[in-house]
Amino acid sequence: MGIIVQKFGGTSVADPQKIHNVAKAVIREKENGNDVVVVVSAMGHTTDHLIKLAKEVTSTPDSREMDMLLSTGEQVSIALLAMAIQSHGYKAVSMNGQQVGIVTECIHSKARIVDIKTDKLQKKIEEGNIIVVAGFQGVTPDGEITTLGRGGSDTSAVAIAAALKADRCDIYTDVEGVYATDPRIVPNIQKTDVISYEEMLELARVGANVLHPRSVETAKQFNVPLRVRSSFKLDNLGTLIIGVDNMEIYKPVAGVAADSSQIRILLSELPDIPGTAAKLFGSLAKSNISVDMIIQSLASNGTNSIAFTVDAEDFESTMTTLEALKAELKAGEILIDKDIAKVSIVGAGMVDRPGIAADMFRSLAENNINIKMISTSEIKISCLVEKENAKNAIKALCKEFGLESTESADVKGDLPDV
Ligand code: ASP
Ligand code: MG
């Protein structure tokens, strides 16, 4: 008999009927002979509504009070789910983050979990209970309530699975698992049966909205086998996410994703002397701006130009930093390009296979898509393209790397959001 941690998102517990369906899925796992800990998010769009409510009271809500407010959403759903499970004749008990002892750092609205106490959980499990835990929330060593950032319940579930040394953590969603790309763009897309933590993390970083990236990081760190599976088709096993050493890799590319939230900035005519890039990126780092792609190139007149991309959210502060630095750097012009998207292919199988980058570039060229910047890592190749070409690029790349399927993906509700 093992321990299984299950996680259900907001859409799965959106109304009483759905809460009963979740209760059945939980009981089914218990009937398989396992101890079950189930982590839930707030019902439906509760968190969005609470944020809206706070903004109606003040445009600058205090972050401690925001956490106090938002943590109530999950407290509602755990109580209701525990009642539903009990109504089917099983023992269940709900616990909030504080009761479990999900200890976080004291950073309101995006705290990281530092420790999970297991004694109370273990005791309740031994008493024969199904435990229903509030996702997304924790408590600081001083007893302050914190939340983990939007979509944080995935991370709560994986961290609890790691702490309890669970056999598996199952993340239930509206879709049947992880697809090789967004099925709204390519409906006839393959579902992935097995993918590595490394690939899943890269895909999450480059724009795939399946799992909260920190949940995958935690799963990787503690080697927790993770499944993304459908809450409508309980017999389907979905997608298994495990360590790369434990899997056979047949295909070079596991997934394709696009991110349209970046802006490209180009500084021209920078003097070609030591320290220029250090000064530029040092100042950006000091302003807490993370830079993604970077290209430096030497012009025929002996000056450099440096192009880089930042998240659109950081655009204003990037420009303020650059304006202050422009004279000191002796930069010529600052050019801005907002109509861009970064399209990436990810796959652990590309490590030992030459020519994957060339195949990507050729496929884009055949579709008349111009590449503005390129960056690579061991298991990822990204190309910056015009925003209007992003969807076509995804379609072309899915075809190029054999990720299409003969059947259409079954997408029930909204795709899971992070
Ligand atoms: N309820 C929180 C949110 O909407 C946490 C979660 O759903 O994972 O972001
Ligand atoms: Mg989610």
Side-chain angles (χ1 to χ4, degrees):
M1 185 154 113
I3 300 183
I4 304 289
V5 175
Q6 300 180 303
K7 182 258 167 181
F8 293 87
T11 37
S12 303
V13 291
D15 60 44
Q17 182 56 49
K18 289 187 172 156
I19 290 176
H20 273 290
N21 289 343
V22 169
K24 284 179 197 150
V26 174
I27 289 166
R28 184 182 149 112
E29 202 60 76
K30 179 85 183 165
E31 285 294 321
N32 285 342
N34 293 304
D35 287 327
V36 184
V37 176
V38 47
V39 175
V40 281
S41 302
M43 292 170 74
H45 297 286
T46 304
T47 310
D48 292 333
H49 289 147
L50 292 173
I51 292 172
K52 193 163 156 265
L53 201 57
K55 292 269 164 67
E56 280 166 21
V57 171
T58 165
S59 58
T60 52
D62 179 70
S63 59
R64 177 189 183 276
E65 303 311 327
M66 270 315 268
D67 279 355
M68 189 64 101
L69 178 70
L70 297 190
S71 63
T72 62
E74 272 69 13
Q75 201 154 321
V76 172
S77 50
I78 54 170
L80 293 172
L81 179 57
M83 291 175 200
I85 297 169
Q86 289 163 357
S87 76
H88 294 278
Y90 288 78
K91 279 178 83 177
V93 59
S94 67
M95 294 173 89
N96 66 19
Q98 191 164 13
Q99 288 173 315
V100 171
I102 301 178
V103 184
T104 73
E105 8 161 84
C106 187
I107 301 176
H108 287 292
S109 85
K110 45 173 181 286
R112 281 177 171 267
I113 297 174
V114 291
D115 188 23
I116 295 188
K117 314 268 179 237
T118 52
D119 41 340
K120 278 194 212 134
L121 277 176
Q122 296 280 18
K123 186 164 172 283
K124 300 269 184 215
I125 292 173
E126 276 157 28
E127 287 165 7
N129 289 291
I130 292 169
I131 323 289
V132 188
V133 179
F136 177 57
Q137 58 179 259
V139 63
T140 69
D142 293 343
E144 292 293 318
I145 292 175
T146 50
T147 61
L148 311 182
R150 296 306 305 270
S153 300
D154 294 346
T155 301
S156 309
V158 176
I160 289 172
L164 289 172
K165 301 196 174 51
D167 295 62
R168 217 175 56 232
C169 180
D170 286 347
I171 309 274
Y172 286 85
T173 77
D174 275 2
V175 290
E176 289 188 45
V178 176
Y179 293 100
T181 198
D182 186 334
R184 287 169 297 194
I185 299 172
V186 183
N188 57 329
I189 189 72
Q190 285 170 18
K191 184 185 70 69
T192 311
D193 292 330
V194 188
I195 190 168
S196 64
Y197 300 125
E198 290 78 0
E199 291 165 309
M200 200 60 236
L201 265 178
E202 284 284 15
L203 280 170
R205 288 194 190 113
V206 296
N209 284 344
V210 183
L211 289 169
H212 195 232
R214 256 162 53 204
S215 68
V216 187
E217 267 166 38
T218 312
K220 177 172 180 231
Q221 193 181 345
F222 296 98
N223 229 340
V224 179
L226 205 61
R227 267 193 195 282
V228 175
R229 57 196 299 180
S230 160
S231 44
F232 302 99
K233 297 187 181 169
L234 297 178
D235 288 330
N236 289 11
L237 289 178
T239 301
L240 180 65
I241 307 167
I242 51 173
V244 73
D245 301 339
N246 301 327
M247 58 188 269
E248 296 279 343
I249 299 167
Y250 302 105
K251 276 185 284 182
V253 175
V256 181
D259 174 5
S260 328
S261 69
Q262 296 198 355
I263 292 178
R264 178 171 76 149
I265 296 163
L266 184 131
L267 297 181
S268 68
E269 286 167 64
L270 292 159
D272 185 24
I273 49 170
T276 304
K279 220 176 273 163
L280 169 61
F281 294 108
S283 301
L284 292 170
K286 248 186 233 141
S287 310
N288 222 350
I289 297 163
S290 38
V291 171
D292 185 10
M293 302 171 102
I294 301 175
I295 288 185
Q296 169 172 303
S297 51
L298 187 63
S300 54
N301 66 0
T303 65
N304 279 325
S305 60
I306 295 184
F308 59 93
T309 62
V310 293
D311 211 83
E313 270 182 16
D314 290 330
F315 179 63
E316 304 296 332
S317 48
T318 304
M319 290 316 287
T320 315
T321 310
L322 292 182
E323 290 302 339
L325 210 65
K326 197 175 165 193
E328 195 189 333
L329 284 178
K330 301 194 179 66
E333 270 184 301
I334 302 180
L335 301 172
I336 291 145
D337 188 354
K338 293 190 175 177
D339 286 322
I340 53 160
K342 184 179 72 170
V343 178
S344 308
I345 58 173
V346 173
M350 65 176 73
V351 175
D352 297 318
R353 268 183 251 205
I356 303 300
D359 288 342
M360 178 179 193
F361 306 151
R362 182 192 27 77
S363 162
L364 294 176
E366 279 167 7
N367 286 276
N368 225 353
I369 296 170
N370 191 33
I371 303 171
K372 295 178 168 216
M373 280 172 110
I374 299 167
S375 77
T376 61
S377 77
E378 212 185 10
I379 62 164
K380 180 193 73 186
I381 305 166
S382 301
C383 293
L384 205 68
V385 301
E386 293 279 340
K387 206 177 252 177
E388 60 174 27
N389 288 332
K391 283 190 181 153
N392 279 343
I394 289 179
K395 285 181 195 155
L397 295 171
C398 286
K399 190 168 198 167
E400 175 70 32
F401 294 106
L403 301 174
E404 290 177 328
S405 152
T406 44
E407 281 167 46
S408 272
D410 183 8
V411 186
K412 279 253 167 4
D414 294 341
L415 279 182
D417 51 329
V418 168

